[in-house]
Amino acid sequence: MQQATIQIVRPASPPVAAPQRWEVAQIEALFELPFNELLYQAQTVHRANFDPAEVQLSTLLSIKTGGCAENCTYCPQSSAYDTGVEATALMKVDAVLEAARAAQAAGATRFCMGAAWRSPKERDIEKVSALISAVKGLGLETCATLGMLGDGQAEALRDAGLDYYNHNIDTAPDKYADIVQTRQFEDRLDTLQRVRGAGVKVCCGGIVGMGESRTQRAALIAELANMEPYPESVPINHLVQVEGTPLHGTEVLDPFEFVRTIAAARITMPHTRVRLSAGRQALGEAVQALCFMAGANSIFYGDKLLVTGNPDVTADQALLQKLGMRAA
Ligand code: SAM
Ligand code: DTB
Ligand code: SF4
């Protein structure tokens, strides 16, 4: 009797999707879509990758405030402008831990420590490392934003327990020189490379409402989406206009344009946490709800951002409850 030959058919290995490269024009075309069509596309991408009822909560703390040597024209902490912000020294471990415990008790899962430095010195890295280890010890995710990093600094922060480093590219490459003159766009990319190279997760986003064009908003999103890999966390800030800064008095961006920017970030970076960041007080509840519909699934949570205000914790809890959303 003839033996049947059994042929083992191995499934072809799944194709590895090449990362998609986004042209600015493609992202501009998303912005041009009818609003409801854009939101539908963003919501579809969002639901394929996340539970649409979940929102991640990050709390900010300014661990070293004001007196910064950079001249970022949006920033109340630059020493170049008279904004009434008082410069302070780096906070001590106990005070930081107290703030982190309060954030955790209120429901935050990530604690982000911000310092108004152009770039930290070695001594600063040692001190901040102690803060990171202490916060990590509470069981919180850790994030820091300390300015430009030099050799070995990202590694030192990683070894202290840093999960995320925040470093924003802020705006389109061709708008950057209008916004900051004390550093170059490429300096930001260099630090982001160092963070990625050290194996620390990248939190990188920008600010809209600084007088940029729609094409420049699309170019900001393209820069982020074309990073390989794109950031794990993308904060989209709506400019908080602070008296004394050069950008105070800029024409306020149409809120629908802000929602469109969130949607474009969600569509082009399907797996990232898109954070509805600074500027929520001015947006109001209905626009924030549209941002969640457009795919935002993270917020800064706590009564203060770094030096400016943020909705109260109780107001945010009430908003999430009204929308049937919950902390991730
Ligand atoms: N000094 C560090 C740096 O610039 O990378 C870290 C702190 S800095 C305040 C962090 C980010 O906050 C900036 O990159 C910018 O995107 C955002 N930011 C600062 N001032 C803002 C404002 N008035 N409105 C919205 N976002 C702002
Ligand atoms: C980010 O993208 N926005 C946060 C955080 N990362 C560090 C800071 C917002 C600052 C808003 C103005 C202020 O309070 O200084
Ligand atoms: Fe300094 Fe950061 Fe503010 Fe720029 S954004 S002035 S680097 S604190």
Side-chain angles (χ1 to χ4, degrees), residues 61-64 88-101 111 113 123 127-128 130-132 134-135:
L61 177 68
S62 180
I63 56 170
K64 189 267 162 196
T88 64
L90 183 63
M91 286 174 72
K92 299 273 190 296
V93 176
D94 285 354
V96 172
L97 269 180
E98 193 185 320
R101 279 200 195 95
F111 194 68
M113 292 164 270
R123 281 287 293 145
K127 289 180 187 165
V128 174
L131 301 178
I132 291 167
V135 171

Side-chain angles (χ1 to χ4, degrees), residues 254-271:
D254 181 329
F256 295 124
E257 195 64 16
F258 184 76
V259 179
R260 285 177 191 274
T261 311
I262 298 267
R266 168 51 66 223
I267 292 169
T268 57
M269 294 171 275
H271 301 285

